[in-house]
Amino acid sequence: MQLRYSFRLYPSAGQRAALARAFGCARVVFNDALRVREEARAAGLPFVTSAELSRRLTAAKKTPERAWLGEVSAVILQQSLRDLDTAYRNFFDGLKGKRPRVGAPRFKSKRDNRQSVRFTANAAWRITPGRKLRLPKIGDVPVRWSRALPSTPTTVTVVKDSAGRYFASFVVETGPEEVLPETTPEVGIDLGLGHFAVLSDGRKIDSPRFLRRAEKRVKKAQRALSRKEKGSSNRNKARIKVARAHARVADARREFHHRLSTQLIRENQAVAVEDLAVKGLARTRLAKSVHDAGWSAFVTMLEYKAARYGRTFVKIGRFEPTSQVCSRCGVKDGPKPLHVRVWTCGACGAVLDRDINAAVNVAKAAGLAVTACGAQIRPGLVPAPRSEAGTHQELPTALPQREQIGIPGL
């Protein structure tokens, strides 16, 4: 399978200027090609092919208006045309129902939150013996290598985010040597807001609420930004402070998701989750808390790590009544308000924790071998044996102590 590894870059002032030129040239080539195709569509002409766009790019570099395109590597300009082809392909596949629908390609702006360029093997980029990243017409950029790459990458994408940070992104191939030894436990997971995750074995993982905890600092930075004059340097500095505050929240949330997903995949042979309607929940009054939890990113991590390490990942339908069914006897007694966290089954008398019961039902719906012992808070009322029902006769006082009721024999 393919995995993406990102590492922080620390370019110098000159290298940052060279990267800014590369971002700008790639953006202009993308916009020019998009404009050509849109004008052809408006005029009723045939779709302009990639080969024709490449020829026009070569001719444009020889004109005075676009001569500065020769200051950057030609590979990133060709890759910009490939990105446009990918955007059109995804758009048309969405219309045909082959993939989720996406919007039509749009023009890029220098004020976009994310700027990127991609270097392939033809660009002759490489990692130097001093562990720096050598990029054509940019130089040797220092890299913070947090871990080793499992294989040699063929392409590298240099990304600048809204906080002004630079990253090198590698896509590498991994083989079956990553498969973990088999283990016995299987777990169902119920995702929520009160607790981030409740497991079918009874464990509850608290929700860190990273955005809620950093909300005071973020609000202060946003108020400072709103007081700055538009177009001024101080406003740009304040914008970067806001972006960095949000970046710290996103990084902390991503780290939490990675640690928890890796732990669950290593400890369990099979993992089951529910397919939540995140887009629908994000339109309710709980939108901020839903986005703060980041369920979709966490489930995506579970899915690809299960495939990577040889585990089983199952996603059940969102319409399964996991909160309405007793996990001990299987009786469905209808929906319950959200404030009901503990309920008693009317059929078997088991007192159930709402979240743990739902996690057990998620695992059962996925076909996993789990028990319902974790869902019960305390045992329900047990009918008395026939021998103890009715009126008890008076016991003889001469019986040995071991024969008296309630005291086990030695």
mmCIF file of all heavy atoms in Angstrom, residues 199-240:
data_model
loop_
_atom_site.group_PDB
_atom_site.id
_atom_site.type_symbol
_atom_site.label_atom_id
_atom_site.label_comp_id
_atom_site.label_asym_id
_atom_site.label_seq_id
_atom_site.Cartn_x
_atom_site.Cartn_y
_atom_site.Cartn_z
ATOM 1 N N LEU A 199 -15.266 1.546 24.341
ATOM 2 C CA LEU A 199 -14.951 0.245 23.777
ATOM 3 C C LEU A 199 -15.885 -0.810 24.346
ATOM 4 O O LEU A 199 -16.432 -0.667 25.447
ATOM 5 C CB LEU A 199 -13.498 -0.117 24.069
ATOM 6 C CG LEU A 199 -12.453 0.949 23.713
ATOM 7 C CD1 LEU A 199 -11.056 0.419 23.966
ATOM 8 C CD2 LEU A 199 -12.601 1.407 22.275
ATOM 9 N N SER A 200 -16.051 -1.879 23.594
ATOM 10 C CA SER A 200 -16.958 -2.948 24.016
ATOM 11 C C SER A 200 -16.437 -3.712 25.221
ATOM 12 O O SER A 200 -17.207 -4.440 25.853
ATOM 13 C CB SER A 200 -17.189 -3.914 22.852
ATOM 14 O OG SER A 200 -15.958 -4.451 22.381
ATOM 15 N N ASP A 201 -15.157 -3.580 25.567
ATOM 16 C CA ASP A 201 -14.643 -4.235 26.758
ATOM 17 C C ASP A 201 -14.835 -3.394 28.017
ATOM 18 O O ASP A 201 -14.343 -3.755 29.097
ATOM 19 C CB ASP A 201 -13.161 -4.583 26.583
ATOM 20 C CG ASP A 201 -12.307 -3.356 26.271
ATOM 21 O OD1 ASP A 201 -12.833 -2.228 26.358
ATOM 22 O OD2 ASP A 201 -11.123 -3.528 25.934
ATOM 23 N N GLY A 202 -15.533 -2.247 27.904
ATOM 24 C CA GLY A 202 -15.846 -1.425 29.064
ATOM 25 C C GLY A 202 -14.959 -0.211 29.242
ATOM 26 O O GLY A 202 -15.257 0.636 30.085
ATOM 27 N N ARG A 203 -13.894 -0.089 28.468
ATOM 28 C CA ARG A 203 -13.002 1.070 28.607
ATOM 29 C C ARG A 203 -13.629 2.308 27.969
ATOM 30 O O ARG A 203 -14.301 2.211 26.940
ATOM 31 C CB ARG A 203 -11.649 0.788 27.960
ATOM 32 C CG ARG A 203 -10.776 -0.168 28.750
ATOM 33 C CD ARG A 203 -9.422 -0.336 28.075
ATOM 34 N NE ARG A 203 -9.555 -1.039 26.799
ATOM 35 C CZ ARG A 203 -8.563 -1.131 25.909
ATOM 36 N NH1 ARG A 203 -7.409 -0.534 26.146
ATOM 37 N NH2 ARG A 203 -8.755 -1.803 24.789
ATOM 38 N N LYS A 204 -13.379 3.452 28.582
ATOM 39 C CA LYS A 204 -13.863 4.725 28.070
ATOM 40 C C LYS A 204 -12.682 5.678 27.918
ATOM 41 O O LYS A 204 -11.915 5.879 28.866
ATOM 42 C CB LYS A 204 -14.899 5.341 29.014
ATOM 43 C CG LYS A 204 -16.185 4.531 29.118
ATOM 44 C CD LYS A 204 -17.223 5.252 29.967
ATOM 45 C CE LYS A 204 -18.542 4.476 30.006
ATOM 46 N NZ LYS A 204 -19.588 5.183 30.795
ATOM 47 N N ILE A 205 -12.527 6.248 26.730
ATOM 48 C CA ILE A 205 -11.452 7.202 26.441
ATOM 49 C C ILE A 205 -12.051 8.603 26.454
ATOM 50 O O ILE A 205 -12.964 8.896 25.690
ATOM 51 C CB ILE A 205 -10.780 6.899 25.085
ATOM 52 C CG1 ILE A 205 -10.029 5.562 25.161
ATOM 53 C CG2 ILE A 205 -9.812 8.004 24.713
ATOM 54 C CD1 ILE A 205 -10.768 4.411 24.585
ATOM 55 N N ASP A 206 -11.554 9.439 27.335
ATOM 56 C CA ASP A 206 -12.075 10.795 27.456
ATOM 57 C C ASP A 206 -11.794 11.601 26.195
ATOM 58 O O ASP A 206 -10.790 11.386 25.504
ATOM 59 C CB ASP A 206 -11.470 11.500 28.669
ATOM 60 C CG ASP A 206 -11.942 10.895 29.984
ATOM 61 O OD1 ASP A 206 -13.060 10.347 29.989
ATOM 62 O OD2 ASP A 206 -11.202 10.958 30.978
ATOM 63 N N SER A 207 -12.668 12.544 25.913
ATOM 64 C CA SER A 207 -12.482 13.430 24.763
ATOM 65 C C SER A 207 -11.569 14.586 25.151
ATOM 66 O O SER A 207 -11.857 15.310 26.109
ATOM 67 C CB SER A 207 -13.830 13.977 24.291
ATOM 68 O OG SER A 207 -13.671 14.815 23.180
ATOM 69 N N PRO A 208 -10.436 14.783 24.454
ATOM 70 C CA PRO A 208 -9.501 15.856 24.853
ATOM 71 C C PRO A 208 -10.062 17.254 24.646
ATOM 72 O O PRO A 208 -9.668 18.186 25.333
ATOM 73 C CB PRO A 208 -8.281 15.610 23.955
ATOM 74 C CG PRO A 208 -8.435 14.217 23.452
ATOM 75 C CD PRO A 208 -9.899 13.970 23.359
ATOM 76 N N ARG A 209 -10.964 17.438 23.681
ATOM 77 C CA ARG A 209 -11.566 18.746 23.394
ATOM 78 C C ARG A 209 -10.478 19.810 23.180
ATOM 79 O O ARG A 209 -10.376 20.820 23.884
ATOM 80 C CB ARG A 209 -12.500 19.180 24.514
ATOM 81 C CG ARG A 209 -13.713 18.289 24.684
ATOM 82 C CD ARG A 209 -14.634 18.842 25.777
ATOM 83 N NE ARG A 209 -15.874 18.086 25.849
ATOM 84 C CZ ARG A 209 -16.043 17.015 26.628
ATOM 85 N NH1 ARG A 209 -15.046 16.602 27.382
ATOM 86 N NH2 ARG A 209 -17.197 16.371 26.642
ATOM 87 N N PHE A 210 -9.634 19.577 22.177
ATOM 88 C CA PHE A 210 -8.490 20.458 21.951
ATOM 89 C C PHE A 210 -8.925 21.874 21.606
ATOM 90 O O PHE A 210 -8.349 22.845 22.103
ATOM 91 C CB PHE A 210 -7.624 19.880 20.823
ATOM 92 C CG PHE A 210 -6.984 18.573 21.170
ATOM 93 C CD1 PHE A 210 -7.456 17.391 20.633
ATOM 94 C CD2 PHE A 210 -5.904 18.529 22.047
ATOM 95 C CE1 PHE A 210 -6.867 16.187 20.956
ATOM 96 C CE2 PHE A 210 -5.308 17.319 22.369
ATOM 97 C CZ PHE A 210 -5.792 16.148 21.824
ATOM 98 N N LEU A 211 -9.938 22.024 20.764
ATOM 99 C CA LEU A 211 -10.383 23.360 20.379
ATOM 100 C C LEU A 211 -11.024 24.078 21.563
ATOM 101 O O LEU A 211 -10.811 25.284 21.754
ATOM 102 C CB LEU A 211 -11.362 23.283 19.208
ATOM 103 C CG LEU A 211 -11.901 24.617 18.688
ATOM 104 C CD1 LEU A 211 -10.750 25.505 18.221
ATOM 105 C CD2 LEU A 211 -12.889 24.395 17.550
ATOM 106 N N ARG A 212 -11.810 23.392 22.361
ATOM 107 C CA ARG A 212 -12.429 24.014 23.523
ATOM 108 C C ARG A 212 -11.384 24.498 24.515
ATOM 109 O O ARG A 212 -11.520 25.571 25.105
ATOM 110 C CB ARG A 212 -13.357 23.009 24.208
ATOM 111 C CG ARG A 212 -14.541 22.574 23.351
ATOM 112 C CD ARG A 212 -15.564 23.673 23.201
ATOM 113 N NE ARG A 212 -16.748 23.211 22.480
ATOM 114 C CZ ARG A 212 -17.794 23.974 22.207
ATOM 115 N NH1 ARG A 212 -17.785 25.249 22.562
ATOM 116 N NH2 ARG A 212 -18.828 23.485 21.553
ATOM 117 N N ARG A 213 -10.324 23.723 24.697
ATOM 118 C CA ARG A 213 -9.279 24.110 25.648
ATOM 119 C C ARG A 213 -8.470 25.299 25.146
ATOM 120 O O ARG A 213 -7.985 26.106 25.940
ATOM 121 C CB ARG A 213 -8.355 22.913 25.913
ATOM 122 C CG ARG A 213 -8.978 21.903 26.856
ATOM 123 C CD ARG A 213 -8.318 20.548 26.805
ATOM 124 N NE ARG A 213 -6.886 20.579 26.576
ATOM 125 C CZ ARG A 213 -6.166 19.489 26.376
ATOM 126 N NH1 ARG A 213 -6.740 18.309 26.335
ATOM 127 N NH2 ARG A 213 -4.872 19.577 26.174
ATOM 128 N N ALA A 214 -8.304 25.409 23.820
ATOM 129 C CA ALA A 214 -7.520 26.508 23.249
ATOM 130 C C ALA A 214 -8.393 27.662 22.804
ATOM 131 O O ALA A 214 -7.891 28.597 22.172
ATOM 132 C CB ALA A 214 -6.695 25.994 22.068
ATOM 133 N N GLU A 215 -9.693 27.619 23.114
ATOM 134 C CA GLU A 215 -10.616 28.610 22.585
ATOM 135 C C GLU A 215 -10.291 30.014 23.070
ATOM 136 O O GLU A 215 -10.410 30.989 22.315
ATOM 137 C CB GLU A 215 -12.045 28.237 22.983
ATOM 138 C CG GLU A 215 -13.093 28.842 22.093
ATOM 139 C CD GLU A 215 -14.443 28.197 22.294
ATOM 140 O OE1 GLU A 215 -14.621 27.474 23.293
ATOM 141 O OE2 GLU A 215 -15.319 28.409 21.441
ATOM 142 N N LYS A 216 -9.857 30.155 24.306
ATOM 143 C CA LYS A 216 -9.549 31.487 24.843
ATOM 144 C C LYS A 216 -8.387 32.114 24.088
ATOM 145 O O LYS A 216 -8.427 33.298 23.718
ATOM 146 C CB LYS A 216 -9.227 31.374 26.330
ATOM 147 C CG LYS A 216 -8.999 32.717 27.010
ATOM 148 C CD LYS A 216 -8.763 32.534 28.510
ATOM 149 C CE LYS A 216 -8.534 33.880 29.200
ATOM 150 N NZ LYS A 216 -8.299 33.714 30.650
ATOM 151 N N ARG A 217 -7.357 31.321 23.831
ATOM 152 C CA ARG A 217 -6.192 31.836 23.104
ATOM 153 C C ARG A 217 -6.549 32.151 21.650
ATOM 154 O O ARG A 217 -6.103 33.170 21.099
ATOM 155 C CB ARG A 217 -5.062 30.816 23.163
ATOM 156 C CG ARG A 217 -3.783 31.268 22.474
ATOM 157 C CD ARG A 217 -2.641 30.311 22.714
ATOM 158 N NE ARG A 217 -2.920 28.985 22.191
ATOM 159 C CZ ARG A 217 -3.145 27.921 22.931
ATOM 160 N NH1 ARG A 217 -3.165 28.022 24.253
ATOM 161 N NH2 ARG A 217 -3.385 26.738 22.380
ATOM 162 N N VAL A 218 -7.373 31.310 21.023
ATOM 163 C CA VAL A 218 -7.767 31.546 19.636
ATOM 164 C C VAL A 218 -8.625 32.802 19.526
ATOM 165 O O VAL A 218 -8.451 33.618 18.606
ATOM 166 C CB VAL A 218 -8.498 30.309 19.089
ATOM 167 C CG1 VAL A 218 -9.065 30.595 17.709
ATOM 168 C CG2 VAL A 218 -7.555 29.109 19.020
ATOM 169 N N LYS A 219 -9.548 32.990 20.451
ATOM 170 C CA LYS A 219 -10.403 34.173 20.409
ATOM 171 C C LYS A 219 -9.587 35.449 20.570
ATOM 172 O O LYS A 219 -9.849 36.461 19.909
ATOM 173 C CB LYS A 219 -11.454 34.084 21.510
ATOM 174 C CG LYS A 219 -12.593 33.128 21.207
ATOM 175 C CD LYS A 219 -13.623 33.163 22.320
ATOM 176 C CE LYS A 219 -14.796 32.254 22.000
ATOM 177 N NZ LYS A 219 -15.810 32.268 23.099
ATOM 178 N N LYS A 220 -8.601 35.413 21.451
ATOM 179 C CA LYS A 220 -7.755 36.593 21.657
ATOM 180 C C LYS A 220 -7.008 36.941 20.374
ATOM 181 O O LYS A 220 -6.912 38.122 19.993
ATOM 182 C CB LYS A 220 -6.777 36.331 22.795
ATOM 183 C CG LYS A 220 -5.884 37.507 23.125
ATOM 184 C CD LYS A 220 -4.950 37.189 24.289
ATOM 185 C CE LYS A 220 -4.029 38.371 24.587
ATOM 186 N NZ LYS A 220 -3.101 38.063 25.721
ATOM 187 N N ALA A 221 -6.469 35.929 19.693
ATOM 188 C CA ALA A 221 -5.754 36.181 18.436
ATOM 189 C C ALA A 221 -6.705 36.683 17.354
ATOM 190 O O ALA A 221 -6.348 37.565 16.563
ATOM 191 C CB ALA A 221 -5.047 34.907 17.982
ATOM 192 N N GLN A 222 -7.916 36.172 17.308
ATOM 193 C CA GLN A 222 -8.869 36.608 16.291
ATOM 194 C C GLN A 222 -9.359 38.036 16.546
ATOM 195 O O GLN A 222 -9.578 38.797 15.603
ATOM 196 C CB GLN A 222 -10.046 35.637 16.249
ATOM 197 C CG GLN A 222 -9.687 34.290 15.639
ATOM 198 C CD GLN A 222 -10.829 33.304 15.705
ATOM 199 O OE1 GLN A 222 -11.719 33.422 16.551
ATOM 200 N NE2 GLN A 222 -10.802 32.298 14.840
ATOM 201 N N ARG A 223 -9.522 38.408 17.814
ATOM 202 C CA ARG A 223 -9.910 39.788 18.109
ATOM 203 C C ARG A 223 -8.806 40.764 17.713
ATOM 204 O O ARG A 223 -9.063 41.847 17.187
ATOM 205 C CB ARG A 223 -10.228 39.925 19.602
ATOM 206 C CG ARG A 223 -11.593 39.386 19.998
ATOM 207 C CD ARG A 223 -11.998 39.895 21.365
ATOM 208 N NE ARG A 223 -11.069 39.464 22.389
ATOM 209 C CZ ARG A 223 -11.228 38.371 23.135
ATOM 210 N NH1 ARG A 223 -12.297 37.590 22.949
ATOM 211 N NH2 ARG A 223 -10.352 38.034 24.044
ATOM 212 N N ALA A 224 -7.546 40.362 17.962
ATOM 213 C CA ALA A 224 -6.428 41.209 17.553
ATOM 214 C C ALA A 224 -6.381 41.360 16.042
ATOM 215 O O ALA A 224 -6.067 42.432 15.515
ATOM 216 C CB ALA A 224 -5.119 40.641 18.084
ATOM 217 N N LEU A 225 -6.713 40.288 15.320
ATOM 218 C CA LEU A 225 -6.725 40.352 13.861
ATOM 219 C C LEU A 225 -7.814 41.294 13.361
ATOM 220 O O LEU A 225 -7.595 42.055 12.400
ATOM 221 C CB LEU A 225 -6.934 38.944 13.296
ATOM 222 C CG LEU A 225 -7.151 38.828 11.786
ATOM 223 C CD1 LEU A 225 -5.938 39.334 11.018
ATOM 224 C CD2 LEU A 225 -7.473 37.387 11.398
ATOM 225 N N SER A 226 -8.977 41.268 13.981
ATOM 226 C CA SER A 226 -10.088 42.096 13.507
ATOM 227 C C SER A 226 -9.825 43.588 13.683
ATOM 228 O O SER A 226 -10.459 44.409 13.011
ATOM 229 C CB SER A 226 -11.365 41.712 14.251
ATOM 230 O OG SER A 226 -11.254 42.022 15.632
ATOM 231 N N ARG A 227 -8.896 43.964 14.557
ATOM 232 C CA ARG A 227 -8.607 45.381 14.793
ATOM 233 C C ARG A 227 -7.542 45.938 13.853
ATOM 234 O O ARG A 227 -7.295 47.145 13.851
ATOM 235 C CB ARG A 227 -8.155 45.588 16.249
ATOM 236 C CG ARG A 227 -9.260 45.396 17.266
ATOM 237 C CD ARG A 227 -8.828 45.903 18.629
ATOM 238 N NE ARG A 227 -7.752 45.093 19.178
ATOM 239 C CZ ARG A 227 -7.941 44.077 20.022
ATOM 240 N NH1 ARG A 227 -9.168 43.740 20.390
ATOM 241 N NH2 ARG A 227 -6.928 43.394 20.496
ATOM 242 N N LYS A 228 -6.893 45.079 13.077
ATOM 243 C CA LYS A 228 -5.825 45.522 12.188
ATOM 244 C C LYS A 228 -6.406 46.022 10.864
ATOM 245 O O LYS A 228 -7.421 45.540 10.386
ATOM 246 C CB LYS A 228 -4.843 44.369 11.938
ATOM 247 C CG LYS A 228 -4.171 43.846 13.200
ATOM 248 C CD LYS A 228 -3.346 44.914 13.879
ATOM 249 C CE LYS A 228 -2.552 44.357 15.048
ATOM 250 N NZ LYS A 228 -3.419 43.956 16.187
ATOM 251 N N GLU A 229 -5.729 47.008 10.296
ATOM 252 C CA GLU A 229 -6.171 47.585 9.034
ATOM 253 C C GLU A 229 -5.931 46.603 7.898
ATOM 254 O O GLU A 229 -4.865 45.987 7.796
ATOM 255 C CB GLU A 229 -5.433 48.898 8.758
ATOM 256 C CG GLU A 229 -5.873 49.612 7.487
ATOM 257 C CD GLU A 229 -5.098 50.898 7.261
ATOM 258 O OE1 GLU A 229 -4.292 51.260 8.141
ATOM 259 O OE2 GLU A 229 -5.300 51.525 6.208
ATOM 260 N N LYS A 230 -6.922 46.471 7.025
ATOM 261 C CA LYS A 230 -6.801 45.530 5.923
ATOM 262 C C LYS A 230 -5.700 45.956 4.960
ATOM 263 O O LYS A 230 -5.593 47.126 4.606
ATOM 264 C CB LYS A 230 -8.129 45.440 5.176
ATOM 265 C CG LYS A 230 -9.230 44.775 5.980
ATOM 266 C CD LYS A 230 -10.483 44.572 5.145
ATOM 267 C CE LYS A 230 -11.553 43.853 5.945
ATOM 268 N NZ LYS A 230 -12.781 43.616 5.160
ATOM 269 N N GLY A 231 -4.895 44.981 4.577
ATOM 270 C CA GLY A 231 -3.795 45.243 3.664
ATOM 271 C C GLY A 231 -2.505 45.650 4.330
ATOM 272 O O GLY A 231 -1.489 45.813 3.652
ATOM 273 N N SER A 232 -2.497 45.816 5.655
ATOM 274 C CA SER A 232 -1.294 46.259 6.360
ATOM 275 C C SER A 232 -0.425 45.061 6.739
ATOM 276 O O SER A 232 -0.876 43.907 6.776
ATOM 277 C CB SER A 232 -1.673 47.035 7.618
ATOM 278 O OG SER A 232 -2.365 46.205 8.526
ATOM 279 N N SER A 233 0.834 45.362 7.051
ATOM 280 C CA SER A 233 1.751 44.302 7.475
ATOM 281 C C SER A 233 1.357 43.744 8.836
ATOM 282 O O SER A 233 1.519 42.548 9.107
ATOM 283 C CB SER A 233 3.184 44.855 7.523
ATOM 284 O OG SER A 233 3.611 45.264 6.243
ATOM 285 N N ASN A 234 0.836 44.613 9.712
ATOM 286 C CA ASN A 234 0.413 44.138 11.025
ATOM 287 C C ASN A 234 -0.754 43.153 10.910
ATOM 288 O O ASN A 234 -0.863 42.214 11.702
ATOM 289 C CB ASN A 234 0.007 45.318 11.911
ATOM 290 C CG ASN A 234 1.212 46.113 12.394
ATOM 291 O OD1 ASN A 234 2.317 45.582 12.459
ATOM 292 N ND2 ASN A 234 1.006 47.379 12.710
ATOM 293 N N ARG A 235 -1.626 43.381 9.953
ATOM 294 C CA ARG A 235 -2.731 42.448 9.769
ATOM 295 C C ARG A 235 -2.225 41.091 9.288
ATOM 296 O O ARG A 235 -2.731 40.042 9.714
ATOM 297 C CB ARG A 235 -3.745 43.007 8.782
ATOM 298 C CG ARG A 235 -4.979 42.124 8.617
ATOM 299 C CD ARG A 235 -5.995 42.724 7.675
ATOM 300 N NE ARG A 235 -7.148 41.841 7.528
ATOM 301 C CZ ARG A 235 -8.195 41.819 8.341
ATOM 302 N NH1 ARG A 235 -8.235 42.628 9.394
ATOM 303 N NH2 ARG A 235 -9.198 40.993 8.126
ATOM 304 N N ASN A 236 -1.222 41.098 8.430
ATOM 305 C CA ASN A 236 -0.657 39.836 7.968
ATOM 306 C C ASN A 236 0.013 39.089 9.119
ATOM 307 O O ASN A 236 -0.108 37.854 9.229
ATOM 308 C CB ASN A 236 0.352 40.090 6.852
ATOM 309 C CG ASN A 236 0.852 38.804 6.231
ATOM 310 O OD1 ASN A 236 0.077 37.933 5.864
ATOM 311 N ND2 ASN A 236 2.162 38.669 6.132
ATOM 312 N N LYS A 237 0.698 39.830 10.016
ATOM 313 C CA LYS A 237 1.308 39.187 11.184
ATOM 314 C C LYS A 237 0.226 38.609 12.109
ATOM 315 O O LYS A 237 0.381 37.504 12.650
ATOM 316 C CB LYS A 237 2.156 40.193 11.951
ATOM 317 C CG LYS A 237 3.373 40.687 11.176
ATOM 318 C CD LYS A 237 4.118 41.742 11.970
ATOM 319 C CE LYS A 237 5.291 42.304 11.177
ATOM 320 N NZ LYS A 237 5.988 43.380 11.927
ATOM 321 N N ALA A 238 -0.845 39.353 12.292
ATOM 322 C CA ALA A 238 -1.926 38.860 13.142
ATOM 323 C C ALA A 238 -2.606 37.651 12.517
ATOM 324 O O ALA A 238 -3.033 36.730 13.232
ATOM 325 C CB ALA A 238 -2.939 39.976 13.387
ATOM 326 N N ARG A 239 -2.732 37.639 11.186
ATOM 327 C CA ARG A 239 -3.328 36.488 10.509
ATOM 328 C C ARG A 239 -2.496 35.240 10.726
ATOM 329 O O ARG A 239 -3.030 34.135 10.947
ATOM 330 C CB ARG A 239 -3.461 36.770 9.015
ATOM 331 C CG ARG A 239 -4.109 35.647 8.218
ATOM 332 C CD ARG A 239 -3.837 35.785 6.742
ATOM 333 N NE ARG A 239 -2.417 35.749 6.421
ATOM 334 C CZ ARG A 239 -1.710 34.624 6.359
ATOM 335 N NH1 ARG A 239 -2.277 33.459 6.605
ATOM 336 N NH2 ARG A 239 -0.421 34.669 6.066
ATOM 337 N N ILE A 240 -1.174 35.387 10.674
ATOM 338 C CA ILE A 240 -0.295 34.240 10.888
ATOM 339 C C ILE A 240 -0.424 33.731 12.326
ATOM 340 O O ILE A 240 -0.393 32.519 12.583
ATOM 341 C CB ILE A 240 1.155 34.628 10.557
ATOM 342 C CG1 ILE A 240 1.284 34.907 9.054
ATOM 343 C CG2 ILE A 240 2.118 33.541 10.974
ATOM 344 C CD1 ILE A 240 2.666 35.358 8.628
#
